[in-house]
Amino acid sequence: MTLSDPRHVYIETLGCQMNKADSELMLGLLQQEGFLPVLDATRADLVIINTCQIRENAEEKAYSYLGPWGKLKQQHPNIKIAMAGCVAQQTKEDVFKRAPYVDIVFGTQNIHELPQLVRRAFSGNEKQVVAVDRQKDKSTFDYFSDVTQVRESKISAWVTIIEGCDYFCTYCVVPYTRGRQISRAPESVLEEVKRLAEAGYKEVTLLGQTVDAYGKDFADRSYRLAELMADVNALEGIERIRFMTSHPLDLSDAIIEAIATLPKVMEYIHIPMQAGDDVILDRMRRGYTAAQYYELVDKLYDRIPGVAVTGDYIVGFPGETEAQFEQTLYSVSRSGIHFANTAAYSARRQTPAGIWEDRGEGQVPEPEKQRRLQLLNEVIRDQAMSIHQAYEGQVLDVLVEGKSKRNAERWTGRTRNNKVVNFSSPLPEAQLVGQTIPVAITQAYPFSLLGVHQLMPAPQQAGHFAVACS
Ligand code: SAH
Ligand code: SF4
Ligand code: F3S
């Protein structure tokens, strides 16, 4: 049964790329039910918040959307409100205690059930609808082949290849909200990428919380990320392959070789270190030492010319001393990273570290966490700026994604090592978007580059041409 009138759906997405990919899948499933996406929640019949639980403020942000939506529902009682994502997965029915006006709560493994959950909610027979307890199995990704995602970009697409995480770092909710690691069958991934290429997509980002662990759980074959990259590389139409997030323990030599040798795989690796001190790394249960991490990034710089390595850090982990924090500051220059996401440690009660406080294991005071965070951000920004200054005067290949959001006169795209480049060009949109073009970099910023479309051949090419003609 399809709902009779065209109805409208609005999705607010918080959290990581996995959530962005999930929201695009939800829109695809709902489109099949006759829902049209809208960009304004007040025009929607169904509003969905896709939530993140990684830190306390992310969780609070989720609820901060629900309050106004609850008020909207008082004026328009036919609106249905749904909560999805990592908070929904963990909080389950208890969401209703805090937000009784919510109609549907569904978890990270129940997305495929969304059409029938929505039908049940709109039928009016049930007060509240909940689906949060599906176990993962081989069929986890089956429904992907029946859905066409409604994607934000027409050029670059997220492709989920592995779900969940088996690492259980002591601070992190992800293994609880996303469950155990499970890899999607290569046939299913390749079919999706083929469809993307046919639809004109140029770039795919292979996604997973530990994307480089892809294939570890296959019992019946030996096929890992390096093999998948090679198979995607062979598909016509796709020009660039990205992948994230990598875990240092899973970044094998085979993957490094694949990045170094497969022409479509971008020279970009997001591989979080989290902390620079061995005692803290051990208490985080990361499974590697600082020296091992440095050895790995040294190998990357050595084997992959022009590679950009980025990461994540947490400051103020329980018991982190000033000297241990200084190891994190030092690690920025030692690892030569181009950028890192940073966060003040946030205690999550579902995790081992979240209850250490109860055992008297010192939480770093909030103002001190904020001081460390600011200091670390400054060090990262300064390093990013000096790395970026070296690009001034160079001509880089940029895959054009669209108009710059900040300046309507400019276009935006990315280099092969994932630098955002904003640039001007006299050419019209049809000749730019989706094309890879040369851009002369005129100015560096810490988090982006500014440039001009290089319409004339570069000087050395002109010289070469002159020689060839003479
Ligand atoms: N799988 C990735 C990270 C996924 S979570 C990895 O292992 O690197 C994204 C980031 O959120 C983490 O890298 C970490 O820096 C941050 N994070 C996770 N739990 C956190 C917590 N309790 N407090 C603060 N930051 C946290
Ligand atoms: Fe969280 Fe650690 Fe898994 Fe990353 S590897 S998702 S930080 S538990
Ligand atoms: Fe957040 Fe869940 Fe992603 S907790 S970071 S949305 S996997």
Side-chain angles (χ1 to χ4, degrees), residues 173-187:
V173 293
V174 171
Y176 309 96
T177 64
R178 292 268 167 186
R180 303 304 294 260
Q181 226 163 54
I182 186 159
S183 301
R184 182 174 167 193
E187 295 77 15

Side-chain angles (χ1 to χ4, degrees), residues 14-16 18-19 51-54 86 173-174 177-178 209:
L14 308 174
C16 65
M18 301 289 292
N19 265 15
T51 58
C52 171
Q53 211 188 18
I54 204 84
C86 292
V173 293
V174 171
T177 64
R178 292 268 167 186
Q209 286 299 345

